[in-house]
Amino acid sequence: MKTLLQLLCIGLCYAGCLYTEPVESFSVQLRDPLHPDMESIEYGVNMRRDVHGVPQAYWMPLFASTCYNGKCKPLEVVLYWDALGRFLNVYPVPGKPLSKTDHIVFSEADYAQLDMILKDRNSKLGSYLIQLHGAEEDRTVDGVSGATTPYLHGAVVPGAVYSSWVLWHWVNGEVVGQLLETTRRAMSKDDVVRFMTSDDQAQIRFALEMAGQAGVEDDTVYRVFEKADRDNAKRALQVLNGRFTNPEELDLRLVKMLGRTSEAAEWAILDFLGTRESHDPQVNKALESSIPKLTFIGRRKAQLILKRKSAG
Amino acid sequence: MKNGILVISILMLAATAFGQYPPPDVSDALQKTSRTERTDVAGTLWLDAEDFQDYGGWYHDTQFIYLMGSGYLLAPGLGTPVKDAVATATLSESGAYTLWVRSRNWDPEHSPGIFKVKVGDTFSTLCGNAKSGEWVWQQAGIFPLEAGEQTLRLVDQSGYYGRCDALVLTRDEKFSPPKQEEMAAARAKYTGLELMPVVQGSFDVIVVGGGPAGTSAAIAAARQGAKTALIQDRPVLGGNGSKEFAVGMNGAANQQAQMREGGIINEATLINSFHQTTDFTEAFTELAEAEPNLHLFLNTRVDGVIMADQETIQGVKTVHALDGTRSEFHGDYFIDCTGDGWVGYFSGAEFRVGREAKSEFNEKPAPKEADHITMSACVNSEGGPFMVKTENRVSYEPPGWAAKLPVPLHRKIESLAYRHWWMEYPGTVDDVWEGEYARDYLLRIAYGFADYVKNHWEKKETAKNHTLNNIGFFLGRRESRRLMGDYILNLNDVLQPRWFEDSITSYGWSADIHHPQGIFSGKGGPYDCDYRVNPGGGIPFRCIYSKNISNLLMAGRCISVSHYALGTTRIMMTCATIGQAAGTAAAMCSEYTMTPREVGQERIKELQQRLIKEDQYIPRIQNEDPADLARKAIATASSEQEVWAVNETYHNRPGTVDRGNKAVPLTSRTVMCPAGRLQAVGTLNFLIDNRSAQEAAVTLQLYTSPAFQDFENLTPVTEIPVTIPPDFTGTLPVKVDCELPGRFLVARFKGGAKGVYWEVSHANPPLMCEWSKWEWNQSVHLKTSMVPAFYATPALEWDYDFGAANIINGKTRFWYTNSSVNMWSSDPDQPLPQWVQLAWDQPQTVSEVRLIFDTNLDRRRYNNPIVPERISDYEIQAWLDGGWKTIVSETGNIQRLRIHRIEPVETEKLRVVASKTGGDPSARIYELRVY
């Protein structure tokens, strides 16, 4: 669990303690998530680049309301993201700690929980319309038939439904797209290649999305299979499939990759091969000879493909 | 901003409402407002307790007016005297006034509910302590009083349910308090109460009872065009599922995957989900008030009928629950949704109470001889948990009248916050004619239960800091009269499950009959029986009209079923679907001037088609509507899903796995899912929560099974030791890598895993289920909803047809008979928007489009505002003048059935473009109808 002190340190580090590159500033247009019908307004974002000149961290001071009746303390925080718009941390302005509805100041455990909540991009908070659903009560019992845990249980810091919701939407809302665009504009082909060959699946994904416009060579895309998770393997297959006019050539190249890929990429490649209407005998032969190198599941998939081909 | 203010207002209202009972709106709705002049008549001032301007902490209890003539004030103080009720009245002359008080000593041995009346500054003698246990008048003192305004107070002395019906201050030395049967006339004499009934009008359909069945019946009848009256004796709609009674509403989906009820009750459920409300009052009110044909009469109790002849009802007589005024409602068709079969009772309809003899239906648990044993009611009400934990140790000394419960109790006490459903009296209590006694018996049991957990329970140390918080005082009945129809559904029908040609709805709750001894049954309870009921059975229409009253239908728990079949049909959501069928049928009776029996014999197919058009689920019945233009069209789509599988993405959708909510002990469940088309499994991932600081060493046992839900013919596959680290929370991968030589994979954990829990999934594809054996009562449970969460990597994919043609195949949910999903679902790898289209070979004139979306019929509960599968934003487009033109644009949809009536357009192509869901990557539509 991160302590408040650790959070502060991380924040300060990203803000510039460890880097020598100058801080740059730009602005983004954002709407208040509590008032999505109102016009967007300009917010200043700071940025620092890494040694390659690619944005490494973004941070944005935020002064925002946390409820509709004006009775809640507004938030005064600095929010931090990495180059891919992934939330890093929230740093309360000194002397302005986050507080709950009853004005109890956040504890270290609350900050730690908030950190986890804000990093969860699949959170229920994403589709939770607080304007319509309201901030539910901490109700625990609904009568004789048993307890019903409130819907937002675990998705919010107890006693801070609005603050959790508001911050989640600031952190994971429309700002992310604008940060990603800033990063995208700063990326050279070399940067895309560097991202594509990193161990970070999010960087690989980002790079695969830029593969076409950046003119990344096929060999680099093939390297993705060495580490890719299922989704990135499927993306890489899409990229490659769009480039080959001769499917057999691609299939053969993919089969030859088998045994040198991640488990997920192996399965994705085999699923891809399984969707082909027909196979070149050369591909089938290569596939058959690759079987000993495959995972248990890979072997099953390959055998099914070969069985179907021989039957059909 | 307006919305924001509205939300804040609602939130403030909700915050005010929670934690107190009754909620202000219900309390206000029980305040008598009709008597503004409170003065004496010839020296006698009659003051009904409900005439008090300020009830203070007393509650206006109108539950038992059928037993004692009127509502009364009740002091539910949990042993602490409640705040005074206050009235002012005017005396025309000075003099010595004798005070008479009508009250009831509800336990003459202990006199728990005592109070005094304060007249001016002088207290009466003690009231509520009469020797009799009946409602009686007590002389409570003589008061010298001046003419003019007097203040009277009801001053509670005990907080234990004192009750006061009426006060009389009289100078008349010959005044003789009226007997029960003379009360109405006395009220008329002294308060000006008008006893001549007012005729409230004539209706096509009169529905009596505003619970889930009655409200659904009335809405259905009104929507079918019938002028409908809904007469409800409570201040709010919803019955046991109302804001007053606050019992969580259950249905088939609690135990069967994909079996959530459709129709009106699902509509209300989705409104509730959206607002995260657990009671159904507001949703029902919203739906009822939206119907111009529906006339709602609250606080109105039917206490008689007007018969046209021996077998035809002409009207019902009512008394207003707050002020005693009388009315008559005349109508053509009547639906008895009172739960207790009152309309049937008054009209002479044949009815039964209690258990049938085994010889009648050969029901396995039936007694040899028929008897009058019924299931017990429960007390309940909103207002918070039964007990709450405090900072310090709290001792508890039960009142002398509290029930002495068996020690040990032989019950699984899941939480001290619950008023457990098994806090019940023996089935010999007559829930109807001993209603008030029954409620009081349950109060005794509740206090006895508090005594048990605080002083006698083996785990009483865990309750040491707990204190009583909310008992509830509403009598929520489970069983009383059952009106007899042309057919009596019995337990064997239900267990088969038997389908009937005249089925009008389904059921899915287990055959759940509570023990005849209630909480006193010891090891034998709490169930009498609890047999699993498989999907596919139907309730015949012949069960929902009276066999001897020609224009009477019934819905809810008073339909024509045996005692044991009632175990499944009594569940509130099932009752609501019965109500929808009865309301629709009554409207047809009115439309065609037929009796319900004639509708059943001559127009049953039409009734079924009308019902499914409104999204009622009737097994085997599919859309055959010749007027539906969609059935003549060709359906195509932008993309189609190919397989259905549970994977990481599926579990990560918001609201699918609600961590911590309903998690089950790890080793308590066995799970099953299809083995997948690969017939092999790589890694299995289990969503685990180790709440202990100890490492758990368990064994994962895998089997295959030849058939869905078959947990007996298992073939062992492998056993893998698994270590779960202390405090581990999250997804635990277990490498398996083995073949699955059977159609279904079965998995379970064995070994010591104290404090280790398995998270459950609130949504599952079909053909997943869990099996468990409840050690506390040795029963076996098989559930297809709320299955412990797990998935395989790679996913165990199994093929389904998600093609566009499903939207016109006439089926609107998963069908168990052939495992068809019957929905169009777009390819989850293709981004939204996605569309599905109908095309005709000739232009068609379109004026109405009906859509049935996927709102996840697997959902067990209704507190999830987000339904991942539901399409929220969509457009309906017509091909006009060589291009697509949007004719309907919708955002924020929350419903499953949407009906769009539009200006007629002539088109040869129509499509629905879905642009947003609740989080699922696929757009899903079950049905598209076009008229």
Side-chain angles (χ1 to χ4, degrees):
Chain A
M1 265 207 242
K2 275 184 192 152
T3 65
L4 181 55
L5 188 63
Q6 282 174 310
L7 287 171
L8 285 171
C9 286
I10 294 166
L12 290 170
C13 289
Y14 279 108
C17 290
L18 298 182
Y19 302 112
T20 53
E21 293 290 325
V23 172
E24 297 171 48
S25 297
F26 63 99
S27 60
V28 290
Q29 292 286 327
L30 302 172
R31 281 172 298 183
D32 184 340
L34 280 176
H35 304 285
D37 297 336
M38 290 168 69
E39 288 197 358
S40 59
I41 56 172
E42 206 169 274
Y43 289 81
V45 177
N46 302 309
M47 171 183 78
R48 195 176 288 282
R49 297 177 193 270
D50 65 13
V51 291
H52 304 284
V54 175
Q56 184 168 36
Y58 298 101
W59 65 99
M60 183 179 90
L62 177 69
F63 181 89
S65 57
T66 56
C67 64
Y68 290 103
N69 61 8
K71 290 182 180 172
C72 317
K73 271 192 190 171
L75 290 166
E76 289 189 69
V77 295
V78 183
L79 304 173
Y80 295 85
W81 297 266
D82 73 2
L84 300 183
R86 287 179 293 195
F87 169 72
L88 292 172
N89 70 58
V90 54
Y91 168 45
V93 169
K96 306 282 185 184
L98 294 176
S99 60
K100 302 186 180 185
T101 27
D102 45 11
H103 300 300
I104 293 173
V105 172
F106 266 43
S107 66
E108 286 189 7
D110 292 332
Y111 278 109
Q113 188 179 3
L114 181 66
D115 186 57
M116 284 171 57
I117 288 165
L118 299 182
K119 281 177 178 158
D120 179 9
R121 286 188 166 183
N122 294 314
S123 169
K124 293 172 189 172
L125 295 173
S127 45
Y128 191 87
L129 303 172
I130 207 161
Q131 301 92 329
L132 297 174
H133 303 313
E136 62 190 6
E137 304 143 19
D138 286 336
R139 184 162 41 188
T140 53
V141 165
D142 70 347
V144 289
S145 294
T148 302
T149 307
Y151 179 69
L152 292 180
H153 172 77
V156 293
V157 175
V161 176
Y162 266 96
S163 295
S164 305
W165 188 92
V166 165
L167 272 171
W168 191 94
H169 282 267
W170 278 111
V171 161
N172 295 293
E174 56 190 347
V175 69
V176 173
Q178 298 183 51
L179 300 181
L180 282 172
E181 186 51 35
T182 305
T183 303
R184 200 173 285 122
R185 282 201 304 266
M187 298 266 287
S188 66
K189 180 182 170 186
D190 287 347
D191 297 324
V192 174
V193 170
R194 188 161 47 82
F195 270 41
M196 206 175 279
T197 51
S198 80
D199 290 331
D200 182 341
Q201 296 294 334
Q203 285 196 354
I204 297 171
R205 175 184 174 166
F206 189 72
L208 281 169
E209 283 166 1
M210 292 185 69
Q213 70 183 71
V216 176
E217 284 77 13
D218 292 351
D219 284 350
T220 308
V221 180
Y222 282 115
R223 286 181 61 190
V224 166
F225 293 123
E226 294 169 13
K227 301 169 185 172
D229 64 12
R230 176 181 171 272
D231 289 343
N232 277 334
K234 286 177 78 173
R235 278 190 197 90
L237 286 163
Q238 273 175 0
V239 169
L240 292 168
N241 197 34
R243 291 181 176 186
F244 278 80
T245 49
N246 179 2
E248 282 78 18
E249 188 186 341
L250 172 61
D251 293 357
L252 194 59
R253 181 79 193 263
L254 290 171
V255 171
K256 287 181 177 171
M257 286 285 302
L258 294 173
R260 292 184 287 122
T261 68
S262 67
E263 184 181 65
E266 174 192 288
W267 299 344
I269 288 170
L270 290 164
D271 288 343
F272 178 79
L273 294 173
T275 63
R276 294 293 201 201
E277 290 293 320
S278 62
H279 276 166
D280 186 272
Q282 207 183 341
V283 175
N284 287 349
K285 196 174 171 187
L287 182 59
E288 196 167 353
S289 60
S290 73
I291 286 178
K293 295 184 283 186
L294 301 180
T295 62
F296 171 78
I297 290 293
R299 285 198 295 275
R300 288 287 296 187
K301 284 178 182 277
Q303 284 158 354
L304 280 179
I305 291 169
L306 291 168
K307 192 175 164 189
R308 201 167 64 240
K309 300 301 173 193
S310 64
Chain B
M1 193 60 198
K2 239 180 182 177
N3 281 349
I5 292 165
L6 179 66
V7 168
I8 296 300
S9 310
I10 292 167
L11 289 176
M12 288 171 71
L13 184 65
T16 315
F18 186 69
Q20 70 174 72
Y21 195 81
D25 46 350
V26 176
S27 182
D28 291 348
L30 281 165
Q31 183 81 37
K32 178 178 172 182
T33 54
S34 57
R35 189 181 179 197
T36 50
E37 297 279 323
R38 296 172 186 81
T39 187
D40 65 285
V41 173
T44 297
L45 171 71
W46 180 292
L47 206 58
D48 281 316
E50 56 266 40
D51 283 332
F52 278 57
Q53 291 99 322
D54 177 4
Y55 294 166
W58 295 70
Y59 178 71
H60 186 195
D61 192 344
T62 61
Q63 294 179 86
F64 308 110
I65 61 173
Y66 69 100
L67 290 174
M68 44 77 70
S70 68
Y72 59 85
L73 291 186
L74 176 83
L78 291 175
T80 302
V82 303
K83 196 178 156 200
D84 297 351
V86 185
T88 55
T90 305
L91 296 177
S92 53
E93 288 184 36
S94 304
Y97 283 80
T98 301
L99 174 67
W100 291 90
V101 178
R102 189 171 191 243
S103 67
R104 182 179 185 204
N105 182 355
W106 63 275
D107 183 339
E109 189 184 338
H110 299 94
S111 299
I114 48 175
F115 61 95
K116 291 180 179 177
V117 180
K118 193 175 180 186
V119 184
D121 294 327
T122 309
F123 281 102
S124 71
T125 56
L126 211 54
C127 302
N129 60 347
K131 285 181 182 168
S132 163
E134 303 299 317
W135 280 95
V136 293
W137 290 93
Q138 287 182 281
Q139 201 188 83
I142 297 172
F143 298 81
L145 299 172
E146 299 294 322
E149 190 173 273
Q150 297 290 338
T151 300
L152 292 93
R153 290 174 173 270
L154 289 185
V155 185
D156 182 21
Q157 300 290 307
S158 67
Y160 281 135
Y161 312 97
R163 47 201 82 178
C164 175
D165 175 34
L167 308 176
V168 169
L169 277 172
T170 181
R171 287 187 293 113
D172 180 357
E173 292 175 0
K174 293 180 183 168
F175 177 83
S176 173
K179 296 176 184 149
Q180 176 69 55
E181 60 274 20
E182 299 164 344
M183 287 291 289
R187 282 196 170 96
K189 178 178 175 184
Y190 294 113
T191 71
L193 170 66
E194 177 59 65
L195 292 179
M196 276 294 287
V198 174
V199 177
Q200 295 287 358
S202 187
F203 299 89
D204 299 326
V205 176
I206 293 177
V207 180
V208 184
T215 308
S216 300
I219 291 169
R223 286 180 178 176
Q224 293 288 329
K227 184 185 175 190
T228 305
L230 173 55
I231 302 173
Q232 159 73 327
D233 63 353
R234 304 304 310 160
V236 291
L237 295 174
N240 280 342
S242 71
K243 190 182 289 253
E244 278 193 308
F245 287 74
V247 178
M249 202 182 287
N250 289 324
N254 290 60
Q255 304 190 16
Q256 314 276 3
Q258 307 292 327
M259 281 290 286
R260 176 160 292 290
E261 293 74 6
I264 292 164
I265 190 60
N266 193 44
E267 206 177 334
T269 301
L270 289 164
I271 293 171
N272 269 11
S273 302
F274 189 70
H275 295 297
Q276 297 181 79
T277 312
T278 50
D279 73 72
F280 276 69
T281 292
E282 280 161 29
F284 276 152
T285 306
E286 179 183 324
L287 293 175
E289 288 181 346
E291 296 306 324
N293 285 334
L294 199 163
H295 305 263
L296 178 60
F297 300 88
L298 295 172
N299 283 314
T300 304
R301 176 153 189 118
V302 167
D303 64 355
V305 295
I306 306 156
M307 299 297 288
D309 55 51
Q310 210 169 15
E311 60 176 35
T312 313
I313 305 171
Q314 182 182 327
V316 290
K317 301 173 182 176
T318 67
V319 59
H320 196 275
L322 302 188
D323 60 21
T325 54
R326 303 202 56 81
S327 296
E328 286 180 4
F329 296 75
H330 298 166
D332 297 328
Y333 298 92
F334 297 81
I335 309 177
D336 189 335
C337 303
T338 58
D340 296 329
W342 281 110
V343 181
Y345 171 77
F346 291 130
S347 61
E350 190 178 310
F351 69 90
R352 290 184 179 185
V353 176
R355 305 187 290 186
E356 283 77 7
K358 186 157 191 167
S359 57
E360 183 164 9
F361 300 119
N362 196 28
E363 295 170 310
K364 190 176 164 188
K368 192 173 176 196
E369 303 287 338
D371 58 32
H372 286 158
I373 298 282
T374 55
M375 280 184 283
S376 168
C378 273
V379 278
N380 203 48
S381 63
E382 178 60 283
F386 175 66
M387 294 182 111
V388 291
K389 194 173 182 179
T390 65
E391 293 289 318
N392 303 307
R393 182 180 279 270
V394 182
S395 62
Y396 183 71
E397 180 69 31
W401 44 265
K404 302 284 184 287
L405 303 185
V407 180
L409 195 54
H410 294 293
R411 292 292 184 273
K412 186 180 180 187
I413 299 171
E414 292 180 83
S415 164
L416 297 178
Y418 302 176
R419 290 169 290 274
H420 286 83
W421 58 262
W422 38 254
M423 290 163 66
E424 299 177 317
Y425 45 68
T428 47
V429 173
D430 184 334
D431 293 59
V432 174
W433 295 117
E434 297 178 309
E436 193 177 2
Y437 166 79
R439 190 272 308 275
D440 297 341
Y441 199 157
L442 292 170
L443 294 176
R444 289 186 178 93
I445 288 173
Y447 284 88
F449 180 69
D451 175 36
Y452 177 79
V453 297
K454 294 289 289 183
N455 302 319
H456 307 289
W457 187 26
E458 59 184 12
K459 297 179 186 171
K460 64 186 177 189
E461 266 306 290
T462 62
K464 68 182 183 212
N465 289 1
H466 280 74
T467 188
L468 271 175
N469 177 69
N470 175 29
I471 298 257
F473 43 86
F474 287 104
L475 185 70
R477 295 181 181 89
R478 284 191 178 83
E479 181 183 2
S480 52
R481 298 187 190 100
R482 288 168 282 120
L483 304 178
M484 293 296 104
D486 281 349
Y487 186 77
I488 303 172
L489 190 76
N490 65 66
L491 181 64
N492 294 319
D493 295 331
V494 166
L495 296 182
Q496 195 174 347
R498 186 171 172 191
W499 184 81
F500 299 86
E501 289 290 337
D502 63 339
S503 295
I504 41 80
T505 184
S506 183
Y507 47 79
W509 189 265
S510 56
D512 166 9
I513 294 290
H514 298 189
H515 198 280
Q517 292 303 315
I519 199 168
F520 303 99
S521 62
K523 276 185 183 173
Y527 296 104
D528 182 0
C529 65
D530 187 27
Y531 303 115
R532 175 175 170 75
V533 169
N534 284 315
I539 298 176
F541 182 57
R542 285 164 291 156
C543 290
I544 71 164
Y545 60 82
S546 167
K547 68 188 292 187
N548 64 317
I549 302 297
S550 65
N551 59 346
L552 176 63
L553 297 104
M554 52 271 191
R557 61 185 165 83
C558 56
I559 65 168
S560 184
V561 295
S562 73
H563 166 81
Y564 283 101
L566 183 68
T568 186
T569 63
R570 68 187 172 85
I571 300 307
M572 279 194 272
M573 290 204 181
T574 302
C575 288
T577 67
I578 300 168
Q580 180 156 359
T584 306
M588 283 177 63
C589 291
S590 174
E591 195 177 321
Y592 295 119
T593 320
M594 293 174 119
T595 64
R597 180 178 286 119
E598 287 166 345
V599 165
Q601 290 170 345
E602 297 171 31
R603 291 189 175 267
I604 189 66
K605 286 198 183 308
E606 181 183 340
L607 172 59
Q608 290 167 331
Q609 287 295 315
R610 286 195 192 203
L611 285 167
I612 65 164
K613 189 176 179 182
E614 300 300 320
D615 197 27
Q616 175 102 316
Y617 170 53
I618 311 171
R620 304 192 198 185
I621 302 296
Q622 60 190 81
N623 177 15
E624 293 173 2
D625 186 353
D628 177 10
L629 300 172
R631 296 178 64 228
K632 303 176 203 159
I634 301 290
T636 53
S638 53
S639 70
E640 292 170 3
Q641 186 175 344
E642 286 185 2
V643 293
W644 202 348
V646 179
N647 55 26
E648 190 177 4
T649 311
Y650 189 89
H651 274 296
N652 281 338
R653 300 176 315 166
T656 299
V657 179
D658 219 356
R659 291 188 186 278
N661 189 2
K662 300 282 180 189
V664 295
L666 180 67
T667 54
S668 67
R669 298 293 194 277
T670 303
V671 294
M672 174 183 279
C673 74
R677 55 184 181 180
L678 201 60
Q679 297 274 281
V681 61
T683 299
L684 282 170
N685 305 275
F686 301 92
L687 276 68
I688 304 289
D689 181 9
N690 185 356
R691 298 175 191 171
S692 86
Q694 306 295 317
E695 182 178 276
V698 291
T699 302
L700 172 64
Q701 298 179 319
L702 296 184
Y703 305 83
T704 55
S705 168
F708 184 51
Q709 300 188 10
D710 181 353
F711 285 88
E712 289 178 3
N713 300 299
L714 302 182
T715 305
V717 173
T718 188
E719 293 198 356
I720 299 168
V722 177
T723 303
I724 303 166
D727 299 318
F728 176 86
T729 299
T731 304
L732 184 78
V734 180
K735 191 81 170 170
V736 176
D737 277 352
C738 68
E739 294 183 11
L740 299 173
R743 287 190 63 219
F744 290 88
L745 166 68
V746 175
R748 69 178 175 193
F749 288 95
K750 282 285 168 191
K754 196 175 179 190
V756 185
Y757 288 81
W758 198 345
E759 305 282 6
V760 298
S761 174
H762 292 242
N764 296 292
L767 305 182
M768 292 184 73
C769 63
E770 66 141 62
W771 180 94
S772 61
K773 186 169 183 180
W774 292 4
E775 289 175 6
W776 60 289
N777 68 354
Q778 297 298 304
S779 63
V780 165
H781 284 252
L782 212 160
K783 267 197 322 159
T784 48
S785 66
M786 301 284 284
V787 176
F790 70 104
Y791 61 88
T793 313
L796 298 175
E797 299 175 326
W798 55 99
D799 296 300
Y800 281 114
D801 173 9
F802 285 100
N806 282 334
I807 63 167
I808 50 172
N809 77 357
K811 303 165 190 168
T812 58
R813 60 174 61 211
F814 182 82
W815 277 39
Y816 280 90
T817 46
N818 62 359
S819 292
S820 58
V821 290
N822 303 310
M823 71 161 91
W824 164 67
S825 178
S826 68
D827 181 353
D829 289 333
Q830 301 292 321
L832 297 176
Q834 295 285 317
W835 52 261
V836 64
Q837 168 187 302
L838 297 178
W840 295 270
D841 50 12
Q842 297 287 327
Q844 307 288 327
T845 303
V846 175
S847 57
E848 182 179 315
V849 178
R850 287 173 170 250
L851 286 154
I852 294 186
F853 296 110
D854 182 10
T855 52
N856 185 358
L857 294 171
D858 201 25
R859 282 175 311 117
R860 179 173 183 268
R861 285 283 176 179
Y862 33 79
N863 67 334
N864 289 7
I866 314 297
V867 179
E869 298 84 354
R870 181 172 55 203
I871 291 174
S872 62
D873 298 0
Y874 62 94
E875 289 187 351
I876 300 172
Q877 298 176 339
W879 184 260
L880 298 169
D881 304 324
W884 288 109
K885 186 183 171 196
T886 299
I887 52 175
V888 172
S889 182
E890 190 71 30
T891 57
N893 167 56
I894 65 166
Q895 285 296 345
R896 178 174 142 92
L897 169 63
R898 291 301 308 268
I899 303 167
H900 297 286
R901 296 188 173 99
I902 55 175
E903 283 295 312
V905 292
E906 195 159 305
T907 184
E908 58 193 32
K909 281 195 287 188
L910 190 91
R911 70 178 186 178
V912 181
V913 183
S915 53
K916 192 177 173 190
T917 69
D920 195 283
S922 293
R924 299 164 168 209
I925 298 177
Y926 275 109
E927 183 171 74
L928 174 56
R929 289 189 184 212
V930 180
Y931 296 89

